[in-house]
Amino acid sequence: WEGLGPGLNGTVRALAVFDSGGGLELVAGGDFITSGTSSVQRVARWNGSTWSKLGTGPNLPVHALAVYNDGSGFKLYAGGDFTFAGGVPALRVARYDGTSWSPAGSGLAGGTVRVFTSHDDGGGKRLYAGGSFFDTTAGIAYLATWDGTGWSSPGGGVGEQCSALIEWDPGFFP
């Protein structure tokens, strides 16, 4: 094992690999706000020698990261406790296009986004989010799917907090 530069000053809760235009980089999300003396604000990228920020990061912790193509190219999705990312309102979910953060639809209210996975539900790949969120107005509880423009509840959702997701294809394994 070896450290990655000066490290990050708080808990890392999620990792992803993303190309924001300069090649693949490791991206970390969590509770941290600095790396050494540099501000990285809860989302940071490691280019092999230094940590740097991805714009103005979220205002509260990040628990989940995923790279997903919503139909307009691959973006880095972050989920967590936050209500702002990149200085704009983003309720628990935001996406980074390599230059700036934007909200993912109206977001997910009433809790925390804890995990992401993508899955083809028969209508093409979709991004799934799980967590403790519960939005009675939108009819979404603990599990949601993103179609590129909005969030919905897949198949009636689940009855308790969702803390883990994985895409499973039984035909893939012998």
Side-chain angles (χ1 to χ4, degrees):
W1 292 98
E2 97 182 38
L4 302 180
L8 300 162
N9 77 328
T11 303
V12 172
R13 298 185 180 279
L15 297 170
V17 175
F18 181 63
D19 184 348
S20 60
L24 294 176
E25 296 173 310
L26 176 66
V27 178
D31 301 347
F32 53 86
I33 56 171
T34 63
S35 174
T37 59
S38 301
S39 172
V40 290
Q41 201 147 339
R42 298 178 185 87
V43 179
R45 61 179 158 208
W46 174 255
N47 65 8
S49 60
T50 60
W51 288 104
S52 61
K53 63 183 179 178
L54 279 77
T56 304
N59 65 323
L60 292 168
V62 170
H63 292 267
L65 294 172
V67 177
Y68 176 72
N69 185 345
D70 62 7
S72 63
F74 286 98
K75 293 180 179 56
L76 176 70
Y77 281 74
D81 298 322
F82 55 87
T83 55
F84 282 83
V88 298
L91 191 57
R92 315 288 192 281
V93 185
R95 53 191 172 176
Y96 184 75
D97 64 7
T99 304
S100 61
W101 289 97
S102 62
S106 58
L108 295 165
T112 300
V113 173
R114 298 202 178 278
V115 295
F116 288 123
T117 195
S118 60
H119 173 68
D120 186 342
D121 59 7
K125 283 269 189 185
R126 306 233 182 215
L127 182 66
Y128 283 74
S132 61
F133 52 86
F134 191 89
D135 186 345
T136 56
T137 305
I140 298 172
Y142 314 118
L143 182 65
T145 185
W146 171 251
D147 66 7
T149 60
W151 293 97
S152 62
S153 180
V158 295
E160 295 284 333
Q161 175 177 302
C162 178
S163 297
L165 291 170
I166 189 168
E167 181 174 26
W168 172 257
D169 181 356
F172 180 74
F173 297 96

